[in-house]
Amino acid sequence: MILKIAIPIPLGHSFDYLPPATCDYAKLIPGCRIKVPFGARTVIGVLINTAKKASIPESRLKPALELLDQEPVLPQTLMQLNQWASDYYHHPIGEAMLNSLPKLLRDGKAATVRTQLVAPQTLPSPAIKLNSHQQKAVDIINSNTTFKVFLLDGVTGSGKTEVYLQVIAETIAAGKQALVLVPEIGLTPQTVTRFQERFNVPIALFHSQLTDRERLDAWIAAKDGTASIVIGTRSVIFTPLAKPGIIVLDEEHDLSFQQQSGLRYSARDIAVMRGKLEDIPVVLGSATPSLESLYNAERKRYQRLVLPERAGTAIHPSFHVVDLRNQKLQDGLSATLIQEIKLHLSQNNQILLFLNRRGYAPTLLCHSCGFVVECNRCDARMTLHQKPHFLHCHHCGATKPVPKICPECNSDQLLPLGLGTERIEAAIKEIIPEAKVLRIDRDSTRKKQAFAQMLTDIHAQNYQILIGTQMLAKGHHFPNVTMVAIMGIDNSLLSSDFRAEENVAQLIMQVAGRAGRAEKPGKVFIQTYNPHHPLLLQLINYDYKGFTQKSLAERKAANLPPFNFFALLRAESKVQATTMEFLEDLAQQMQKILPAEVKLLGPIPAPLERKAGLYRAQLLINSKKRPLLHKILDHLIEQIRKTKLAAKVNWSLDVDPADML
Ligand code: ADP
Ligand code: ZN
Ligand code: ZN
């Protein structure tokens, strides 16, 4: 008997071993961990399967050392899922398998629980009476117990979460488990709380602050069926379930479902594949569905369920575009905006000012000679931060003291240029000194629990004006916010990245969705130098759907995803020429075997060519047909393994890249 074992090293295949010396062959079940000698080391792998024949001469086979599990840590469907992910993303199988396990299991600890998960002892909160749209969605989803993908397309505040809760109630009643994915638990504790308050069942919650031990306990509670609901961010999609019943993925358009290192996967796409393998329904929800998902709904691969209205008595906020051209601005704030802020303050309401840039100003400029402070290690300007006072590179994290005089011309006329959240905060405090202002961005929320405390304070009305980045855009329910102002979107409106419009449209609709969520109506102001931009005009008419249709037509005409299939090979090294040469050689090799339906673009330098001292470049592979793309990528990886320069660069392959950076 030969054992095929996945080992966590960056090679694409499994390795052959003989069974451990004293081992009952019947216990060698695929999905069990097994200790094996590998070179001079001992490593832990996962048994993929057994075979009669080895792929190398049997004399060279070594026996495995020890079987670590009595039963598989990875059940059949998870083995299949990992195999699929490894194939689809062209990532080494051993790394895919092992990295899907909690750290303690990778380290060889026993797969046993220390602290048992229990149900909360509180009385569950009652279900809300659904409106007819919600009820219809729940009924349709619940009439299905086998694989099917639903796209729950409901405007912000339409009661999507309530739909998830009532669908899951059925799942639990049927004795099955629900797997729930959310973008960032730290940012949406409210959503998690609603799950915890509604059900009287054990819930396994995977968040970033768990210890390794807590993570393993939660993982086992999911795997052995103790947990009726399993909630987490993207990686939770790889958690085994004893009795899978449904997968819910909230805010399916959110970029945080994209893993950006190692195995670069889309948790949404993995969720759909997992639903298929487990033969259970998958619910993808969003107020601003991705073009990919809308296209899948159009093609009837997904069933679209629409919640067109806000739940309860809340109505849509009204949109107002503030034309900045020729206006006098006070630290970027227009007179209109200031006047409206004062008005909403006088009515005792809360105001949200959105700017997706932290720090005081993105540029420090010498007024005498035009010099700007740049990062020594990146092709980027450094952001000025006021409290504490320093320059910060948002790309590599480098910091510098703020110069008092220009290093080029000795002038003392160094001026902050542009807007960051700190600057808005300072401006508001000066204009309306009596207002209680809270700034929420990654800088102000560094301390553990800081953000949760801020959310509590916002709900307690301890603050009147909230200034924040996209941390404030995500799924929050602030009933007293009646005014939202959106600033600093012009760069995104004019960006050349083909996904920029989609992303900014989603951001605007999500931020706007924070206004007027309860009894009081909401108003949304968009400050821009492009007041007639077609995208803005469409959004302020609540025509996100219209925007997506137009955008899909454009993508089709331009052979862009989801109509063509992309993969991006990225490379970086200390020497600019090495990075380019590596990709150029590969491109040349690949050209020889390229079918007509596949095109190579590049290599070209990355948009930010130098980052943290490394020169970055990329090669885009664009295919009309998905299977052809995968065939070409197999060749590509083979080529890379033969290339000497591969040792001198860091490279990574991104299938269906979410950005071209
Ligand atoms: P979404 O997830 O679509 O943003 P939520 O589920 O958070 O929407 O619902 C928004 C608000 O409306 C919440 O306070 C929720 O309790 C309330 N709500 C949801 N459904 C109903 C309903 N059928 N009737 C009254 N209020 C509802
Ligand atoms: Zn100067
Ligand atoms: Zn830098």
Side-chain angles (χ1 to χ4, degrees):
M1 185 191 245
I2 308 294
L3 309 183
K4 305 265 173 196
I5 296 177
I7 288 172
I9 57 159
L11 278 179
H13 55 83
S14 60
F15 291 82
D16 290 357
Y17 285 89
L18 296 167
T22 56
C23 182
D24 176 358
Y25 283 12
K27 289 191 169 161
L28 291 166
I29 311 167
C32 285
R33 290 171 302 157
I34 192 157
K35 216 182 252 177
V36 295
F38 189 80
R41 296 183 293 153
T42 301
V43 299
I44 291 168
V46 169
L47 179 60
I48 293 190
N49 54 32
T50 57
K52 292 221 168 67
K53 266 201 151 68
S55 45
I56 56 169
E58 299 212 359
S59 57
R60 283 172 54 200
L61 290 178
K62 289 183 190 163
L65 299 173
E66 186 190 356
L67 183 68
L68 295 179
D69 297 306
Q70 296 290 325
E71 60 171 292
V73 286
L74 288 173
Q76 180 86 39
T77 47
L78 264 292
M79 295 287 283
Q80 289 170 337
L81 188 70
N82 281 314
Q83 184 68 56
W84 178 82
S86 159
D87 292 342
Y88 187 89
Y89 294 108
H90 300 264
H91 194 78
I93 179 68
E95 287 189 350
M97 291 264 179
L98 272 295
N99 285 340
S100 79
L101 295 173
K103 178 164 187 304
L104 292 185
L105 293 187
R106 293 202 298 275
D107 292 349
K109 296 278 185 310
T112 46
V113 165
R114 191 168 294 170
T115 316
Q116 192 90 29
L117 195 65
V118 291
Q121 293 305 304
T122 49
L123 225 52
S125 65
I128 290 176
K129 178 153 174 33
L130 300 177
N131 65 35
S132 62
H133 298 290
Q134 290 171 309
Q135 190 62 54
K136 193 170 159 215
V138 169
D139 291 344
I140 291 176
I141 298 169
N142 280 341
S143 67
N144 228 95
T145 52
T146 54
F147 173 61
K148 180 152 192 178
V149 184
F150 298 96
L151 179 62
L152 184 63
D153 179 355
V155 297
T156 52
S158 59
K160 292 183 292 297
T161 311
E162 196 57 40
V163 169
Y164 308 145
L165 290 168
Q166 301 208 17
V167 165
I168 288 171
E170 285 278 321
T171 309
I172 296 172
K176 295 192 174 156
Q177 294 169 286
L179 183 60
V180 180
L181 280 84
V182 293
E184 280 157 273
I185 289 179
L187 296 188
T188 48
Q190 282 177 303
T191 307
V192 172
T193 309
R194 276 167 78 183
F195 278 83
Q196 289 167 326
E197 286 173 355
R198 180 63 58 88
F199 301 107
N200 224 327
V201 300
I203 297 181
L205 182 59
F206 289 84
H207 56 79
S208 57
Q209 268 146 32
L210 292 183
T211 63
D212 288 339
R213 185 69 233 179
E214 288 167 337
R215 194 169 293 273
L216 177 57
D217 283 351
W219 187 89
I220 293 172
K223 180 173 182 279
D224 70 12
T226 308
S228 295
I229 304 177
V230 178
I231 306 180
T233 48
R234 59 178 178 258
S235 64
V236 83
I237 195 60
F238 292 106
T239 309
L241 300 172
K243 301 164 285 180
I246 195 163
I247 300 173
V248 171
L249 190 136
D250 189 25
E251 312 287 6
E252 67 91 31
H253 65 280
D254 199 285
L255 289 175
S256 72
F257 286 120
Q258 211 74 31
Q259 168 72 24
Q260 307 275 27
S261 63
L263 172 64
R264 289 159 195 257
Y265 61 88
S266 150
R268 177 187 66 218
D269 296 347
I270 301 254
V272 170
M273 181 44 71
R274 177 141 190 210
K276 192 169 170 183
L277 290 169
E278 309 269 19
D279 198 20
I280 55 172
V282 178
V283 181
L284 309 177
S286 176
T288 51
S290 61
L291 293 182
E292 276 80 2
S293 294
L294 285 169
Y295 178 57
N296 277 323
E298 215 168 87
R299 291 194 298 164
K300 307 281 177 229
R301 289 188 158 200
Y302 299 173
Q303 181 173 355
R304 183 161 167 253
L305 305 169
V306 182
L307 306 180
E309 287 151 26
R310 283 197 155 178
T313 52
I315 53 168
H316 289 310
S318 58
F319 272 106
H320 310 266
V321 173
V322 182
D323 184 352
L324 290 181
R325 291 173 302 175
N326 296 315
Q327 278 223 41
K328 208 166 163 275
L329 302 179
Q330 193 167 351
D331 284 297
L333 300 167
S334 62
T336 315
L337 211 61
I338 294 169
Q339 194 187 340
E340 285 288 337
I341 292 172
K342 287 180 176 163
L343 180 69
H344 285 259
L345 274 182
S346 71
Q347 294 163 346
N348 269 326
N349 296 329
Q350 285 174 310
I351 293 148
L352 193 162
L353 306 179
F354 171 83
L355 176 69
N356 212 7
R357 194 185 282 135
R358 64 198 170 87
Y360 187 82
T363 302
L364 187 63
L365 168 86
C366 172
H367 191 54
S368 304
C369 76
F371 168 84
V372 294
V373 184
E374 294 192 341
C375 177
N376 298 350
R377 312 197 307 148
C378 305
D379 294 330
R381 294 171 176 185
M382 293 189 95
T383 300
L384 176 68
H385 286 245
Q386 214 55 289
K387 283 181 211 156
H389 195 53
F390 67 111
L391 286 157
H392 189 184
C393 174
H394 286 184
H395 298 283
C396 74
T399 58
K400 269 189 206 174
V402 183
K404 290 219 165 43
I405 53 165
C406 173
E408 293 286 314
C409 74
N410 290 332
S411 155
D412 61 358
Q413 294 295 302
L414 288 170
L415 304 179
L417 197 70
L419 281 186
T421 46
E422 273 187 19
R423 190 168 197 170
I424 306 268
E425 180 189 23
I428 290 285
K429 282 183 170 163
E430 201 177 301
I431 301 166
I432 317 172
E434 67 279 8
K436 284 173 279 178
V437 179
L438 177 67
R439 176 168 57 87
I440 299 161
D441 54 30
R442 263 206 285 145
D443 298 318
S444 71
T445 54
R446 256 177 231 291
K447 286 203 194 90
K448 219 173 158 177
Q449 298 302 324
F451 185 63
Q453 183 58 46
M454 286 180 186
L455 289 179
T456 309
D457 285 337
I458 296 172
H459 283 280
Q461 315 276 340
N462 295 343
Y463 294 100
Q464 296 167 294
I465 302 181
L466 321 171
I467 300 165
T469 57
Q470 59 172 350
M471 294 181 78
L472 274 187
K474 308 213 172 195
H476 301 293
H477 187 62
F478 302 133
N480 215 38
V481 168
T482 55
M483 172 181 171
V484 165
I486 300 174
M487 295 176 269
I489 52 159
D490 284 329
N491 276 346
S492 311
L493 285 178
L494 305 175
S495 164
S496 61
D497 188 309
F498 77 90
R499 289 191 205 269
E501 278 209 347
E502 178 185 356
N503 294 340
V504 74
Q506 288 162 346
L507 193 61
I508 290 174
M509 295 316 276
Q510 293 289 344
V511 178
R514 301 315 113 209
R517 289 176 65 94
E519 297 81 45
K520 302 176 189 169
K523 268 183 150 181
V524 180
F525 295 85
I526 303 179
Q527 283 203 153
T528 175
Y529 285 100
N530 300 283
H532 305 300
H533 193 289
L535 172 60
L536 279 188
L537 297 182
Q538 214 151 15
L539 294 183
I540 63 177
N541 277 321
Y542 277 95
D543 196 14
Y544 179 77
K545 187 78 206 303
F547 153 71
T548 59
Q549 279 165 343
K550 179 176 136 280
S551 208
L552 277 172
E554 286 167 4
R555 295 233 192 138
K556 187 170 187 179
N559 288 328
L560 291 167
F563 302 93
N564 266 37
F565 307 101
F566 277 13
L568 197 62
L569 178 66
R570 296 187 179 89
E572 58 180 25
S573 80
K574 284 190 185 130
V575 185
Q576 193 174 26
T578 308
T579 307
M580 284 307 272
E581 200 183 322
F582 168 74
L583 292 177
E584 271 159 10
D585 284 358
L586 285 169
Q588 238 167 42
Q589 294 295 329
M590 298 308 290
Q591 287 295 359
K592 292 180 195 157
I593 55 153
L594 219 55
E597 296 91 336
V598 185
K599 299 261 178 294
L600 294 185
L601 249 109
I604 51 163
L608 183 72
E609 185 178 13
R610 197 170 51 106
K611 182 176 171 183
L614 297 175
Y615 288 87
R616 308 151 76 230
Q618 55 195 30
L619 181 64
L620 181 70
I621 304 107
N622 175 351
S623 173
K624 276 199 184 344
K625 298 199 177 110
R626 170 82 73 193
L628 269 182
L629 177 69
H630 286 299
K631 241 172 108 184
I632 290 299
L633 294 181
D634 280 337
H635 281 294
L636 181 66
I637 300 266
E638 234 172 78
Q639 279 298 336
I640 295 176
R641 295 205 195 292
K642 288 189 209 153
T643 308
K644 283 211 179 77
L645 274 179
K648 293 195 178 156
V649 301
N650 302 327
W651 62 271
S652 64
L653 184 64
D654 200 348
V655 178
D656 308 329
D659 64 58
M660 298 287 159
L661 300 179

